[in-house]
């Protein structure tokens, strides 16, 4: 696996691959990789000739006071994991490579980023769509993979790709969970032993709402109340948001008729975790 740190290095490789007609897959990450990230690599592997993974802790998607400085990093471990998974190139740019002096241009998807994480994390999605656009253009990728765990992010990127005519297949991959159900996240490393136990409340609330949905309940208010009840039975969790929305528009619904998503974000101590489940009638 080759490590590329600058734009000219990346371009030279990408252009070489393109000349021989290679299909390029991109897995954008902020590093501190876990099986969730690696499942994105595995998923793109068979669809692409070359896989590029990027590791860049993007300062533009962190609000002041968030965990940018203490965001976990372990480049050596990440490098080994990616090489072991057959990644061809690792793009690992410095801040000045992505945002040189004088940088002034942003990509902003309206509306879809106003609620949920967008409400509690000002400018977060603008930072995400800006860096992802840059990575799309730099890598000239034909496909890119994102995790369903960041459901709102995935929807916003799908919208952006459609609106801006990026000729890129967006592959959304299922949430990868720890054996007890906790969604994998680089931020899980912040949790103390006690917090780790309480963090399971997110998954439990989503499991309970899924069971109620599968039993035939379709009233959003009752399904939301179920999530709240489960959630409140677990100590030391503070809800940021908890909702059931149309899976496409991310707007509120009264009765679940089509594809919906139950979403949750909560503080476990100082750590903010998110999770979700798709609610969709089978058949
Ligand atoms: O999901 C993430 O890790 C980040 O938001 C992404 C897509 C790599 C952009 O920085």
């Amino acid at each position: 696996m080759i490590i590329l740190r600058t734009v000219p290095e990346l371009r030279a490789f990408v252009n070489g691959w393109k000349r021989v007609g290679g299909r390029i897959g991109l897995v954008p990450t902020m590093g501190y990789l876990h099986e969730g990230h690696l499942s994105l690599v595995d998923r793109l592997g068979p669809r692409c000739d070359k896989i590029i993974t990027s590791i860049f802790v993007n300062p533009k998607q962190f609000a002041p006071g968030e965990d940018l400085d203490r965001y976990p990093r372990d480049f050596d471990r990440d490098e080994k994991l990616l090489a072991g998974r057959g990644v061809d190139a690792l793009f690992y740019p410095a801040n000045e490579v992505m945002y040189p002096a004088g940088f002034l241009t942003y990509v902003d998807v309206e509306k879809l980023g106003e609620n949920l994480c967008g409400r509690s994390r000002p400018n977060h999605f603008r930072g995400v769509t800006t860096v992802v656009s840059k990575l799309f253009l730099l890598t000239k990728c034909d496909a890119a993979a994102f995790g369903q765990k960041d459901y709102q992010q995935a929807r916003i990127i799908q919208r952006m790709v459609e609106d801006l005519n990026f000729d890129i297949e967006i592959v959304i991959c299922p949430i990868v969970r720890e054996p007890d159900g906790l969604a994998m996240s680089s931020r899980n490393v912040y949790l103390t032993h006690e917090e780790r136990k309480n963090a399971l409340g997110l998954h439990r609330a989503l499991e309970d709402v899924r069971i109620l949905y599968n039993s035939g309940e379709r009233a959003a208010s009752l399904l939301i109340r179920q999530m709240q009840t489960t959630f409140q039975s677990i100590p030391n969790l503070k809800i940021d948001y908890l909702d059931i929305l149309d899976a496409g528009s991310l707007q509120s619904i009264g009765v679940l008729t089509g594809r919906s998503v139950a979403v949750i974000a909560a503080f476990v101590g100082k750590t903010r975790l998110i999770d979700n489940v798709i609610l969709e009638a089978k058949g």
Side-chain angles (χ1 to χ4, degrees):
M1 183 178 72
I2 178 129
I3 297 170
L4 308 165
R5 294 172 195 266
T6 67
V7 170
E9 278 171 2
L10 178 64
R11 286 218 169 112
F13 267 85
V14 164
N15 291 340
W17 290 334
K18 285 280 162 191
R19 263 196 297 278
V20 294
R23 186 173 150 86
I24 295 177
L26 170 69
V27 178
T29 82
M30 299 207 300
Y32 210 72
L33 304 175
H34 50 68
E35 271 307 311
H37 297 110
L38 300 173
S39 75
L40 307 182
V41 171
D42 293 347
R43 188 72 179 272
L44 279 194
R47 307 163 109 95
C48 299
D49 302 301
K50 296 285 180 192
I51 301 289
I52 305 177
T53 298
S54 60
I55 295 183
F56 179 60
V57 183
N58 174 30
K60 298 217 183 272
Q61 67 187 75
F62 288 78
E66 287 189 346
D67 57 346
L68 172 63
D69 294 336
R70 63 183 193 113
Y71 194 84
R73 292 160 169 92
D74 189 342
F75 180 78
D76 294 343
R77 183 173 156 275
D78 288 349
E79 184 190 347
K80 286 195 192 80
L81 287 171
L82 293 172
R85 271 336 223 257
V87 167
D88 298 281
L90 167 54
F91 182 47
Y92 183 52
N95 281 349
E96 314 77 74
V97 169
M98 293 305 276
Y99 302 117
F103 184 90
L104 286 175
T105 306
Y106 292 85
V107 177
D108 201 2
V109 176
E110 294 181 354
K111 205 151 163 108
L112 278 178
E114 283 171 6
N115 58 358
L116 309 178
C117 292
R119 180 161 299 148
S120 35
R121 306 190 65 190
N123 287 329
H124 170 67
F125 288 118
R126 185 175 92 135
V128 170
T129 42
T130 300
V131 83
V132 169
S133 299
K134 283 175 68 78
L135 291 168
F136 283 174
L137 293 165
L138 284 166
T139 60
K140 301 188 181 165
C141 60
D142 301 280
F146 297 86
Q148 185 203 307
K149 189 177 77 77
D150 297 293
Y151 188 81
Q152 190 178 19
Q153 167 175 286
R155 279 297 303 131
I156 288 173
I157 289 167
Q158 285 175 321
R159 184 77 253 162
M160 175 184 84
V161 163
E162 212 166 309
D163 290 351
L164 298 185
N165 305 102
F166 280 111
D167 190 9
I168 298 172
E169 180 195 4
I170 300 298
V171 181
I172 308 296
C173 302
I175 298 175
V176 179
R177 299 182 178 280
E178 301 288 355
D180 62 3
L182 182 70
M184 288 195 185
S185 163
S186 304
R187 290 189 168 97
N188 289 350
V189 71
Y190 295 149
L191 302 172
T192 64
H193 184 66
E194 199 55 32
E195 288 171 348
R196 171 69 184 74
K197 279 196 273 176
N198 295 335
L200 269 185
L202 282 85
H203 177 57
R204 286 216 190 106
L206 293 170
E207 271 304 288
D208 285 353
V209 81
R210 199 174 54 81
I211 291 166
L212 187 58
Y213 176 86
N214 287 344
S215 76
E217 184 55 67
R218 294 292 183 268
S221 58
L222 296 181
L223 291 161
I224 291 170
R225 194 175 310 154
Q226 172 64 65
M227 280 166 84
Q228 281 164 339
T229 306
T230 306
F231 200 77
Q232 280 154 6
S233 68
I234 295 161
N236 301 322
L237 292 180
K238 196 169 139 262
I239 295 180
D240 180 12
Y241 62 73
L242 177 159
D243 214 340
I244 297 181
L245 305 169
D246 177 84
S249 67
L250 299 182
Q251 296 302 302
S252 298
I253 32 177
V255 178
L256 283 69
T257 47
R259 197 166 192 262
S260 312
V261 61
V263 288
I264 193 163
F267 286 95
V268 189
K270 285 199 171 81
T271 306
R272 185 174 174 283
L273 299 177
I274 58 173
D275 202 348
N276 66 79
V277 66
I278 299 288
L279 302 174
E280 190 172 27
K282 293 192 181 76

